[in-house]
Amino acid sequence: MSEDLRDPPKPEEESSKWGYDLYPERRGEKYKTSWGKVLFGVEGRENMDKLKCERNVFKCVKNSPLVKLMMGALRSSGCPIDIRRHFSCEVCAHSVTGGYDPILNQIVICQNSARSEGMVQGVLTHELIHMFDYCRNELDFQNIDHLACTEIRAANLAHCSFLSAWSQGDASPFNVKEAHQNCVKTKALASVMAVRRVTKDEAINAIERVFPKCYADLEPIGRRIRRNSKDMHNAFLEGPMNGYDVY
């Protein structure tokens, strides 16, 4: 994962289309810190963070049912994963934990914010869904409807449970039925707004246009994952029955 696979710096207008301003190394910038943050131990540990991040990535590839399922599904779809080529631990803006770079077909894991194995698993699962959509569905990230669709799918399959919906303010005892859909919309909206310079109304309209179709698309996981359940393991076991390789 330490192999240098980056393009030359991109013009600001072009880089903003892909959210590169959130990933300084993606546009050829050296990460900048300050002496104050170094003295207090907040920053200045990039090499240690990268090593820890790469270890967590390796653990997820070996042990996470969802990551293994997604990697097997990508291989079955003609897009096999090489962890040294397609996963990269980097320093990012503190507002994000990871991202998918469609130019390099590479997943970024933010080593300075995704610090635990559980967080890395969440990042990998989310971004592997984007990679799967890019592989299988000819996804165009410059098309806001396409972007909204893949963000809906990632939130639907990888993030939203009743507890996460509650923490986002999307659930209450009176709207349990709608809680998951509201959580998915909130998460997708935040993701679209993070990587594209569009108005909130534009992002909401795109999400609403594609929501019914994209929310119903559960490939390749096949189910919505509930917290503290066996859903991850069951989805992994069902992968071959749905036509996907076991990684």
Side-chain angles (χ1 to χ4, degrees):
M1 284 179 289
S2 59
E3 182 182 355
D4 187 3
L5 298 166
R6 296 162 185 76
D7 284 346
K10 302 181 183 330
E12 187 66 27
E13 182 179 353
E14 180 66 19
S15 68
S16 68
K17 293 179 181 179
W18 310 105
Y20 273 44
D21 51 325
L22 302 174
Y23 314 104
E25 294 183 38
R26 297 275 108 180
R27 53 182 187 179
E29 290 186 3
K30 182 71 176 177
Y31 179 69
K32 298 177 182 179
T33 187
S34 67
W35 281 110
K37 291 182 178 180
V38 171
L39 288 173
F40 284 101
V42 177
E43 293 180 349
R45 55 189 183 193
E46 288 77 32
N47 291 336
M48 186 182 301
D49 283 349
K50 180 179 284 289
L51 180 60
K52 182 178 179 181
C53 174
E54 292 182 347
R55 285 176 176 170
N56 282 332
V57 169
F58 184 75
K59 289 178 183 178
C60 289
V61 168
K62 291 297 183 183
N63 302 321
S64 168
L66 284 182
V67 173
K68 292 166 69 175
L69 171 59
M70 290 303 307
M71 291 179 68
L74 278 157
R75 183 167 59 189
S76 300
S77 302
C79 302
I81 295 291
D82 180 340
I83 64 173
R84 296 168 297 176
R85 165 62 180 87
H86 294 107
F87 298 157
S88 180
C89 289
E90 300 179 13
V91 178
C92 311
H94 286 279
S95 59
V96 293
T97 54
Y100 175 61
D101 182 347
I103 299 296
L104 295 180
N105 190 29
Q106 193 172 48
I107 290 171
V108 180
I109 305 96
C110 297
Q111 63 191 51
N112 55 319
S113 51
R115 295 185 177 276
S116 69
E117 184 178 344
M119 291 184 71
V120 170
Q121 176 186 247
V123 169
L124 289 178
T125 305
H126 183 113
E127 305 306 336
L128 282 166
I129 291 169
H130 295 332
M131 186 178 280
F132 180 84
D133 287 348
Y134 189 66
C135 171
R136 286 280 295 264
N137 302 318
E138 299 182 357
L139 194 68
D140 178 4
F141 280 89
Q142 295 189 62
N143 183 318
I144 192 170
D145 284 6
H146 287 204
L147 176 61
C149 185
T150 192
E151 294 296 356
I152 288 167
R153 283 184 17 81
N156 187 20
L157 294 170
H159 292 286
C160 286
S161 65
F162 183 78
L163 288 177
S164 60
W166 187 286
S167 67
Q168 289 182 180
D170 294 320
S172 77
F174 306 104
N175 71 336
V176 174
K177 185 176 179 180
E178 295 82 16
H180 190 268
Q181 292 189 22
N182 292 338
C183 174
V184 169
K185 290 180 179 181
T186 299
K187 179 68 177 176
L189 176 62
S191 296
V192 170
M193 296 290 291
V195 299
R196 285 291 298 274
R197 293 180 179 175
V198 295
T199 66
K200 186 175 181 179
D201 285 343
E202 288 174 320
I204 290 173
N205 289 338
I207 289 168
E208 293 295 340
R209 279 196 299 270
V210 302
F211 191 83
K213 180 178 181 180
C214 300
Y215 183 74
D217 183 358
L218 303 180
E219 294 294 326
I221 294 175
R223 61 175 66 210
R224 299 180 178 97
I225 304 301
R226 295 169 298 174
R227 188 173 297 188
N228 298 324
S229 72
K230 295 183 178 180
D231 286 345
M232 287 194 295
H233 298 280
N234 290 337
F236 175 72
L237 294 174
E238 292 164 1
M241 292 185 284
N242 295 325
Y244 299 117
D245 288 343
V246 174
Y247 184 84

